[in-house]
Amino acid sequence: MPVRMQDVAQRAGVSVKTVSNVVNGYPHVRESTRRRVEEAIDHLGYRMNVSARNLRTRRTGMITLNVPELSLPYFAELADSVIRAADEQGWSVLIEQTGAERQRELEVLAGRRRHLTDGVLFSPLALGQDDLDHFDVDFPLVVLGERVFGARADHVTMNNVEAARAATAHLITTGRRRIAVVGAHAGEVIGSAALRLAGYERALADAGIPFDPALVGEAGLWHRATGAETMGRLLDSGTGIDAVFALNDAMALGALHALHERRIDIPGDIALIGFDDVDDVRYTVPTISSVDPGRDEIARTAVDLLVARIGGTTEPIRRIVPDARVVGRESTGDVRGDGERVVAVMPGRVEDTDVSPLPAG
Amino acid sequence: MPVRMQDVAQRAGVSVKTVSNVVNGYPHVRESTRRRVEEAIDHLGYRMNVSARNLRTRRTGMITLNVPELSLPYFAELADSVIRAADEQGWSVLIEQTGAERQRELEVLAGRRRHLTDGVLFSPLALGQDDLDHFDVDFPLVVLGERVFGARADHVTMNNVEAARAATAHLITTGRRRIAVVGAHAGEVIGSAALRLAGYERALADAGIPFDPALVGEAGLWHRATGAETMGRLLDSGTGIDAVFALNDAMALGALHALHERRIDIPGDIALIGFDDVDDVRYTVPTISSVDPGRDEIARTAVDLLVARIGGTTEPIRRIVPDARVVGRESTGDVRGDGERVVAVMPGRVEDTDVSPLPAG
DNA sequence: TTGTAAGCGTTATCAA
DNA sequence: TTGATAACGCTTACAA
């Protein structure tokens, strides 16, 4: 029932190999032959059986993107960027959600959930540095984020420490001294929370402001709800606060909500800055300043690295950090009304390691 | 180099057929045999070559979800729900973005972009009723949304007219008479904008309130930015307004921004209600009332229908409308602080048509 | 309960 | 520039 190359070949009076050549754009095909084949393809409505080609070539032209969940704006926008970047190079993207569950994240690395794709972009959230060994996988893998460093896989990450330092420094520049943090993870050494907190501490140290643990609010999950709760706790604790650094934008949105509830003027009484620069922060009242970690570049870089690995490159493992920017808006008094102002730029970097990739299995 | 069933069979001392039986969970395998095979699989690190199986079975276990863009919260949340629903039944989801471009949407229907998947969930935005013929495709297809009705494909849509009527009626119940609309599309007959506007008009008629075209604000793209612009235009036009029905939540967020800018009290001076019930509206100040169109049920239903079509069902084409709810929050004065109240429920329905599906090609 | 053998529709090799 | 033919790794009749 389905039309095969065989059928096309027959109608065009050529061999299947020639049809294959035409379909794949092989240049050395006589023009008249090509036209006959194309006519036959159109006439019969032939469509390539991609499974057969995949079996033969051992490639599928697809990659997997594993994220916690698309409901989180950061990951939705990341997925958007990844799909665009992949599409430009002719790749398709299969998306899986781990729900930030440890078990599912381990399954990603075990390859259990990698159905048909040539490689995996993985943004873990539950795994940590202790799970480093699990990242020695036998398929092309690029890691996103800051849960794990030093894995035997290319890694695209943010300029967390520097960006957090610049964000905090920006608050200090506007005269703030009592700067609260929303979203810390106690005891964490690496991970977005720990790194951003480290940047915060450095900025304080640079300015000679003592670190006050009472200003640091914990929040396990980085959602809007936890941001609102944590902000509420900090405000109700009676600690004097004149600025807030929310470690991501979802929590900044929640914090804004909690601040509004208490009729606190922003930025008059308290200034607010977030991290991620998701679309939402441009439409709140006031608009929220944030750190733009270079999402498009992260996506593009990650896809490039993965495609190169799929292509069999044996370059040493690399860690890439795109440029980041602190974007000032109303919540830090940088602009009035809409609009924004880039108040700091943290240049990215490329780190070549001397670690070779495992031979692809 | 790669381990094949052959290799496993050899080590276990059985035939490939037996290995296949074990891998596929075929029940009539002697326990001791099964164990030997499993030991061999573990020992050799065997993984099924999915391309080969796909070639043989003519199935890939994947479906495509085509949406305008994941950066739009509604579609991000829809994608989340679709991936979950598909995953529960063992299906994977490949996501493609059309950017709401007509050309790309036509390519979806032409099957040009359907690489390896068994069927397509398609949420068009650029195509319209005039493109009905393009929906006669030779692959399993389920249409989402309200751009096109009567296509030869199962269709999952919202209870637009009734839900919009209920949302408007709710505003009227709270004493509003000058209710503006944000997001109309002039000249549209079907499509989300036209249907929701029709519901709005019916509610006005039900209450004996004359329709005033000056209250209807156009907005081409349903983004936050256009919502803010349109709201601004309506407010600046000098038309008296005591309530706003934004035809989706993105525009409601933008409208909220514009209202805040002009220091208008919500819901004191103007009440606001949106449509979609995305996560964002729970964290704005005030929280925004909205219409919950039953996103999870839409996703689940759509996946079920598609899987049934892939399975070759010849049931007549169906149109399914899940239950919808009007959720009251602060912006319509239904609650104070967080929390919400369901103020109306519109029961869904299943419409069986007498149209048979095209034989799958 | 297990084995044998014939494809599934492509691409790769080698020859013409 | 084109053609014949052998894989690719799996499932599925059909046999045993």
Side-chain angles (χ1 to χ4, degrees), chain B residues 48-359:
Chain B
M48 163 87 71
N49 179 322
V50 187
S51 291
R53 168 203 270 170
N54 291 346
L55 175 58
R56 207 37 247 241
T57 60
R58 301 166 158 290
R59 286 286 163 77
T60 66
M62 302 195 306
I63 59 178
T64 303
L65 171 65
N66 273 285
V67 290
E69 48 175 324
L70 290 178
S71 295
L72 298 174
Y74 176 74
F75 291 108
E77 296 187 9
L78 179 67
D80 181 322
S81 295
V82 166
I83 292 174
R84 275 176 221 274
D87 191 64
E88 280 169 17
Q89 307 194 34
W91 293 77
S92 298
V93 181
L94 193 104
I95 299 187
E96 306 222 310
Q97 304 187 125
T98 60
E101 291 169 33
R102 179 177 169 77
Q103 197 48 48
R104 290 182 73 107
E105 292 195 351
L106 286 173
E107 280 174 11
V108 169
L109 295 178
R112 295 297 305 155
R113 305 191 62 78
R114 190 177 69 95
H115 297 297
L116 256 175
T117 58
D118 297 329
V120 175
L121 293 180
F122 182 28
S123 181
L125 211 54
L127 300 182
Q129 200 64 25
D130 293 345
D131 301 299
L132 202 57
D133 292 347
H134 293 288
F135 285 78
D136 277 348
V137 298
D138 61 352
F139 52 85
L141 171 71
V142 172
V143 178
L144 300 169
E146 27 280 334
R147 295 296 307 174
V148 177
F149 287 84
R152 196 192 288 275
D154 294 314
H155 187 183
V156 184
T157 182
M158 298 177 185
N159 204 339
N160 280 279
V161 178
E162 281 312 304
R165 166 146 79 165
T168 309
H170 183 56
L171 293 171
I172 294 171
T173 305
T174 66
R176 316 285 170 164
R177 308 273 302 178
R178 302 283 301 164
I179 303 173
V181 170
V182 171
H185 288 166
E188 197 177 274
V189 178
I190 64 166
S192 313
L195 298 172
R196 293 175 196 176
L197 187 64
Y200 162 85
E201 293 184 28
R202 275 195 213 170
L204 292 186
D206 292 347
I209 301 175
F211 173 76
D212 179 356
L215 290 171
V216 177
E218 303 275 328
L221 288 173
W222 281 6
H223 286 195
R224 279 171 278 226
T226 55
E229 284 163 25
T230 303
M231 187 75 256
R233 272 206 314 282
L234 284 165
L235 293 170
D236 298 342
S237 71
T239 317
I241 292 173
D242 60 15
V244 176
F245 176 23
L247 299 188
N248 84 345
D249 280 344
M251 289 188 296
L253 293 169
L256 181 69
H257 184 76
L259 290 163
H260 269 305
E261 272 184 341
R262 289 164 180 77
R263 313 240 170 276
I264 293 170
D265 182 54
I266 310 164
D269 299 328
I270 293 183
L272 172 65
I273 193 165
F275 202 113
D276 282 347
D277 204 44
V278 300
D279 224 28
D280 302 77
V281 299
R282 274 183 272 278
Y283 295 94
T284 53
V285 180
T287 58
I288 305 176
S289 303
S290 190
V291 176
D292 170 11
R295 176 167 52 78
D296 270 341
E297 199 184 334
I298 288 175
R300 194 174 314 274
T301 304
V303 169
D304 286 348
L305 286 171
L306 186 57
V307 168
R309 285 295 167 215
I310 291 170
T313 182
T314 53
E315 298 271 302
I317 299 288
R318 272 182 299 183
R319 186 152 77 88
I320 296 189
V321 182
D323 295 346
R325 274 161 288 278
V326 176
V327 182
R329 299 199 179 84
E330 290 178 312
S331 70
T332 47
D334 291 292
V335 297
R336 286 179 149 279
D338 294 342
E340 54 191 45
R341 206 158 62 80
V342 174
V343 297
V345 176
M346 284 67 63
R349 59 183 181 278
V350 176
E351 291 172 12
D352 276 301
T353 68
D354 53 358
V355 181
S356 298
L358 285 174

Side-chain angles (χ1 to χ4, degrees), chain A residues 14-15 18 28-30 33 55-56 58:
Chain A
V14 297
S15 77
T18 301
H28 304 295
V29 177
R30 193 180 298 148
T33 312
L55 175 58
R56 223 14 259 231
R58 304 168 154 289

Side-chain angles (χ1 to χ4, degrees), chain A residues 278-342:
Chain A
V278 300
D279 225 28
D280 303 74
V281 300
R282 274 183 272 277
Y283 296 94
T284 52
V285 181
T287 58
I288 304 176
S289 303
S290 189
V291 175
D292 170 10
R295 177 166 50 79
D296 270 340
E297 201 185 333
I298 288 175
R300 194 174 313 276
T301 305
V303 170
D304 286 348
L305 286 171
L306 186 57
V307 168
R309 285 295 168 215
I310 292 169
T313 182
T314 53
E315 297 271 303
I317 300 288
R318 270 181 300 184
R319 186 153 75 90
I320 296 189
V321 183
D323 295 346
R325 274 161 289 277
V326 176
V327 182
R329 299 199 179 84
E330 290 179 311
S331 70
T332 47
D334 291 292
V335 299
R336 285 180 148 282
D338 295 341
E340 54 190 46
R341 205 158 62 80
V342 174

Side-chain angles (χ1 to χ4, degrees), chain A residues 34-87:
Chain A
R34 176 186 308 280
R35 243 195 301 272
R36 271 216 317 291
V37 171
E38 280 167 351
E39 185 279 330
I41 287 175
D42 285 350
H43 183 84
L44 298 172
Y46 167 74
R47 279 206 240 121
M48 164 85 72
N49 178 320
V50 186
S51 291
R53 168 202 270 173
N54 291 346
L55 175 58
R56 223 14 259 231
T57 61
R58 304 168 154 289
R59 286 288 164 78
T60 65
M62 303 194 307
I63 59 178
T64 303
L65 172 64
N66 271 286
V67 291
E69 48 175 325
L70 291 178
S71 296
L72 298 175
Y74 176 75
F75 292 108
E77 296 187 8
L78 179 67
D80 181 323
S81 295
V82 166
I83 292 173
R84 275 176 220 272
D87 190 65

Side-chain angles (χ1 to χ4, degrees), chain B residues 15 18 28-30 33 56 58:
Chain B
S15 75
T18 302
H28 305 294
V29 177
R30 192 180 300 150
T33 311
R56 207 37 247 241
R58 301 166 158 290

